[in-house]
Amino acid sequence: MVSYADPSSVEWVESGGGPLIAIPEVVLPFWTGADGDELASDYDRACEVEGLTGLLPVGNATALVLGDEPAATAYLPEHTTFVRWFAGESERELLAEVPAALDTAAWGREVHWQVPGAVILFDAAWPGEESTKTGHLRIPLAPGRYAVRATHAEPGPETWLGLVQLRLLGR
């Protein structure tokens, strides 16, 4: 079990103002970010996602967009959950509230995401091939189909967070 007393125990990814996106590593070269030559770039497509999450085709796979608002985001493998930091006095206090928030969450609609393996979480404005040159997280997911559900949680008066939980359904 991870102790959240050490601030370096969790890595956070931030965006420049737009959504974060988790793209399967094998299709990163197909994501053009804000650099697209077409009328609507890949970044524009990500910005059009309404709600807390959405799925977008990328190459022969699908990416998960973490929408709603830009927020520092970490992945907690022990909960298979992305945690989005909307408000909180400290990282330690925010992370300490995650288990209770997961237990009492009012989850939104569930979507299913087919994942071929590891995904890279980064700012959707970056082209996929440059994503590892900036703030990013590599998340070693097992290949398979995942149920994805999301919610906003306010486990304390000064603590607000977003949760995006993944549940492996099968391979």
Side-chain angles (χ1 to χ4, degrees):
M1 172 130 170
V2 174
S3 168
Y4 298 120
D6 177 10
S8 66
S9 65
V10 175
E11 291 182 64
W12 297 90
V13 173
E14 297 184 27
S15 81
L20 294 174
I21 191 162
I23 297 181
E25 195 169 40
V26 297
V27 295
L28 276 177
F30 296 102
W31 183 259
T32 61
D35 294 341
D37 294 332
E38 300 174 21
L39 294 175
S41 68
D42 283 342
Y43 175 73
D44 292 331
R45 291 190 311 134
C47 289
E48 290 174 3
V49 167
E50 294 184 18
L52 302 176
T53 61
L55 300 174
L56 288 178
V58 178
N60 65 352
T62 306
L64 176 66
V65 178
L66 303 183
D68 189 36
E69 64 180 86
T73 301
Y75 182 75
L76 304 182
E78 67 276 18
H79 299 293
T80 60
T81 301
F82 292 100
V83 175
R84 312 202 66 215
W85 187 341
F86 296 131
E89 289 293 319
S90 70
E91 176 185 80
R92 182 178 182 181
E93 288 177 23
L94 181 99
L95 294 172
E97 297 286 354
V98 169
L102 287 167
D103 288 342
T104 60
W107 298 101
R109 135 187 107 77
E110 190 173 273
V111 296
H112 292 164
W113 182 30
Q114 186 68 37
V115 177
V119 300
I120 306 296
L121 178 71
F122 62 98
D123 185 332
W126 285 89
E129 290 182 319
E130 295 181 27
S131 64
T132 57
K133 296 176 185 173
T134 184
H136 72 283
L137 286 176
R138 183 179 188 277
I139 301 156
L141 295 178
R145 189 168 177 228
Y146 287 81
V148 179
R149 60 187 187 168
T151 191
H152 276 280
E154 295 182 23
E158 303 292 324
T159 305
W160 304 343
L161 50 94
L163 301 169
V164 179
Q165 189 173 53
L166 310 177
R167 188 178 77 253
L168 183 60
L169 298 173
R171 295 176 188 233

